[in-house]
């Protein structure tokens, strides 16, 4: 999992391909995933600038990601093309390059895939927009998938709703459950993604015909009906028509690509689900804070940048509206001392005792009360968990 091991693998890939490699990985660790986002563009730019000008002629992007923002692929691919020589930008895929990562690959002059490598449909799922429907009895936003929306209208046609008024009635029924602005956003994002992908296909040094580009786009955006469908390199060539796909075995870098992926798998703990709630329960804790959770990274021989965050998770209890403990009025019994001097009264003695006793035991009583309240809260019914993320950002490491 060391930086030293990864650098050795990157160096070997560069030697075999006579190129410079920049790796971009986003976590898909269960319950701790990250997406391709715009903040990575400037970081990749800095990695390119760290190379000598003559080293930028042939650039390879090693990528592992489940997808992300639809407008980022254009920025990434355009940047690589500005620095590399014409026809010398390639994408290396060891395993998963889905959704937005697939769009990035479409813009490459060469897509190098291992036997296990996967592309994915470039459909859109809007996870938490302001107009998304909410789950019953909660405020959690439900995702809206473009496949579900288009599948609904395809079903209308199959059951005989062909006239415009019948389709409009079907649309009205759908808007009773999904806000029309949310449907409009899904449609807009899909069209934006398709447009970006078409433009990226046309930027290749040896571009396909316009007809071929549109056919590729139709198949990868409309004919694959599952967002989770994995498109192998054989399917990418024979079904999608991506003739720029190359076998990693033919280039003799399959082993290096896979071992480098496994290094990142260990770094991000891809196969170890992040279950903070289970940790609290099994360790009988009310709250716990995790620091430096890995989300994404950009790596080359010259530098290593990693995005991390911290997270505090605590149990939520059904606490009564108010819990009042009044420990300020300590009523001590009167102390009677016989044969007091004439100038000392019994009231003065009681006042002194009250003052001394209050000062000595008040703090102890407060501490005990605090412990009692905490124990009381722990015994109350649990109603969920609260998650609070903080210190999220990129850091340069060596």
């Amino acid at each position: 999992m060391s930086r030293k091991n990864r650098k050795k693998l990157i160096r070997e890939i560069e030697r075999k391909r006579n190129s410079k490699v920049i790796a971009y990985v986003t976590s898909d660790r269960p319950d701790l995933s990250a997406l391709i986002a715009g903040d990575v563009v400037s970081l990749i730019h800095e990695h390119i600038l760290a190379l000598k000008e003559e080293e930028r002629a042939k650039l390879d992007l090693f990528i592992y990601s489940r997808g992300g923002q639809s407008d980022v692929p254009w920025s990434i691919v355009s940047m690589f093309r500005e620095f590399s020589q014409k026809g010398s930008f390639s994408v290396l895929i060891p395993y998963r390059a889905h959704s937005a990562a697939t769009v990035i690959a479409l813009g490459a002059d060469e897509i190098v895939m291992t036997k296990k490598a996967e592309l994915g449909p470039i459909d859109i799922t809007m996870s938490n927009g302001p107009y998304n429907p909410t789950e019953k009895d909660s405020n959690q936003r439900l995702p809206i998938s473009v496949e579900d929306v288009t599948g609904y209208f395809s079903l209308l046609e199959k059951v005989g709703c062909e006239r415009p008024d019948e389709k409009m009635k079907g649309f009205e029924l759908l808007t009773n459950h999904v806000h029309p602005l949310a449907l409009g956003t899904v449609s807009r994002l899909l069209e934006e993604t398709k447009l970006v992908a078409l433009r990226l296909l046309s930027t290749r040094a040896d571009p396909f015909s316009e007809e071929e580009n549109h056919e590729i786009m139709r198949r990868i955006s409309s004919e694959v009906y599952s967002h989770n469908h994995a498109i192998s390199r054989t399917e990418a060539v024979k079904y999608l028509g991506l003739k720029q796909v190359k076998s990693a075995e033919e280039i003799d870098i399959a082993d290096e690509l896979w071992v480098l992926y496994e290094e990142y798998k260990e770094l991000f703990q891809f196969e170890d689900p992040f279950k903070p709630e289970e940790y609290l329960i099994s360790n009988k804790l009310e709250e716990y804070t995790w620091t430096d959770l890995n989300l994404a990274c950009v790596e080359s021989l010259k530098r290593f940048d990693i995005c991390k965050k911290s997270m505090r998770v605590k149990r939520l209890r059904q606490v009564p509206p108010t819990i009042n403990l009044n420990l300020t009025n300590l009523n001590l019994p009167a102390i009677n001392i016989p044969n007091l001097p004439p100038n000392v009264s019994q009231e003065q003695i009681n006042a002194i005792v009250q003052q001394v006793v209050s000062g000595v035991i008040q703090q102890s009583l407060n501490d005990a009360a605090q412990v009692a309240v905490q124990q009381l809260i722990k015994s109350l019914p649990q109603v969920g968990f609260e998650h609070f993320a903080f210190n999220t950002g990129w850091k340069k490491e060596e």
Side-chain angles (χ1 to χ4, degrees):
M1 192 175 70
S2 69
R3 162 86 165 135
K4 180 180 179 181
N5 290 344
R6 298 194 301 272
K7 286 176 66 175
K8 181 179 179 181
L9 291 164
I10 291 173
R11 188 177 289 109
E12 182 63 13
I13 295 171
E14 292 183 344
R15 185 189 68 80
K16 290 186 175 183
R17 288 186 49 77
N18 191 29
S19 66
K20 289 298 177 182
V21 175
I22 297 174
Y24 177 35
V25 177
T26 65
S27 172
D28 66 350
R29 181 182 178 186
D31 299 312
L32 192 65
S33 60
L35 298 175
I36 291 173
D39 59 357
V40 77
V41 177
S42 60
L43 278 174
I44 295 177
H45 181 240
E46 291 179 16
H47 280 256
I48 295 176
L49 290 179
L51 300 171
K52 297 177 181 178
E53 188 169 352
E54 60 270 20
E55 294 177 325
R56 304 169 190 167
K58 186 177 181 181
L59 296 175
D60 290 339
L61 175 64
F62 174 103
I63 192 166
Y64 178 90
S65 177
R66 291 300 191 100
Q69 297 175 2
S70 59
D71 55 344
V72 177
W74 176 261
S75 299
I76 291 177
V77 174
S78 298
M79 180 172 56
F80 273 98
R81 292 210 173 279
E82 288 293 332
F83 285 98
S84 62
Q85 289 183 354
K86 186 176 181 180
S88 299
F89 167 54
S90 301
V91 170
L92 314 179
I93 304 175
Y95 190 5
R96 291 169 173 148
H98 296 175
S99 195
T102 294
V103 178
I104 292 173
L106 292 178
D109 297 300
E110 179 185 50
I111 307 173
V112 180
M113 300 176 69
T114 67
K115 291 181 179 179
K116 185 58 178 169
E118 302 172 356
L119 299 176
I122 60 169
D123 51 15
I124 296 298
T125 297
M126 192 169 65
S127 300
N128 54 0
Y131 297 105
N132 283 36
T134 56
E135 190 173 12
K136 188 177 181 180
D137 300 326
S138 81
N139 292 324
Q140 184 176 355
R141 296 287 180 179
L142 298 174
I144 304 175
S145 169
V146 67
E147 306 115 313
D148 294 336
V149 176
T150 56
Y152 171 74
F153 286 104
S154 296
L155 178 62
L156 290 180
E157 293 183 357
K158 289 180 180 179
V159 298
C161 297
E162 298 179 353
R163 300 197 315 268
D165 61 318
E166 293 174 333
K167 292 182 178 179
M168 180 57 68
K169 181 63 176 178
F171 178 76
E172 291 174 354
L173 290 173
L174 180 60
T175 57
N176 290 334
H177 302 278
V178 183
H179 198 288
L181 291 181
L183 294 173
T185 300
V186 169
S187 176
R188 177 182 59 79
L189 290 175
L190 176 61
E191 293 305 314
E192 176 187 346
T193 302
K194 291 165 64 175
L195 177 61
V196 168
L198 278 172
R199 290 173 63 190
L200 288 175
L201 280 169
S202 67
T203 64
R204 298 179 60 252
D206 184 19
F208 305 131
S209 68
E210 185 175 348
E211 181 180 350
E212 287 176 313
N213 285 343
H214 280 277
E215 183 63 16
I216 290 170
M217 194 51 44
R218 183 183 67 81
R219 290 180 175 180
I220 203 170
S221 64
S222 303
E223 290 193 358
V224 181
Y225 289 100
S226 170
H227 183 74
N228 295 320
H229 178 70
I231 301 172
S232 68
R233 69 184 183 191
T234 300
E235 186 178 5
V237 175
K238 294 185 176 180
Y239 176 70
L240 296 181
L242 295 176
K243 292 177 284 188
Q244 75 268 45
V245 170
K246 305 297 180 184
S247 164
E249 290 76 23
E250 292 179 6
I251 307 174
D252 192 28
I253 61 169
D255 291 341
E256 288 83 359
L257 290 181
W258 189 254
V259 175
L260 183 56
Y261 157 73
E262 290 187 323
E263 289 284 328
Y264 289 120
K265 179 178 72 174
E266 187 176 353
L267 175 66
F268 289 95
Q269 299 176 269
F270 287 157
E271 297 181 351
D272 181 19
F274 180 60
K275 299 292 185 182
E277 300 88 352
E278 291 183 6
Y279 183 84
L280 293 186
I281 293 171
S282 61
N283 290 278
K284 299 180 180 180
L285 297 173
E286 285 299 302
E287 68 176 78
Y288 189 81
T289 299
W290 287 262
T291 59
D292 293 332
L293 297 168
N294 296 331
L295 299 176
C297 76
V298 179
E299 186 168 28
S300 60
L301 289 182
K302 298 291 181 73
R303 61 183 287 175
F304 175 57
D305 294 273
I306 187 163
C307 183
K308 299 184 177 187
K309 74 175 179 181
S310 298
M311 179 176 289
R312 183 173 67 248
V313 181
K314 73 174 183 178
R315 302 179 193 237
L316 294 178
R317 301 286 186 178
Q318 189 174 343
V319 181
T322 57
I323 298 178
N324 293 321
L325 290 176
N326 187 357
L327 301 176
T328 57
N329 296 322
L330 298 176
N331 297 316
L332 301 175
I335 298 177
N336 296 313
I337 300 177
N339 303 319
L340 290 173
N343 58 340
V344 178
S345 67
Q346 188 65 51
E347 290 76 11
Q348 289 175 316
I349 295 297
N350 288 335
I352 292 172
V353 170
Q354 180 79 22
Q355 182 179 1
V356 171
V357 171
S358 297
V360 171
I361 69 172
Q362 185 71 57
Q363 185 60 47
S364 298
L365 286 172
N366 289 337
D367 293 342
Q370 190 67 29
V371 171
V373 170
Q374 291 174 356
Q375 293 300 319
L376 171 62
I377 291 176
K378 288 181 180 180
S379 68
L380 295 173
Q382 183 177 324
V383 294
F385 294 89
E386 180 184 67
H387 300 72
F388 178 70
F390 60 100
N391 289 341
T392 303
W394 288 90
K395 300 176 183 178
K396 183 179 179 182
E397 296 185 356
E398 293 299 333

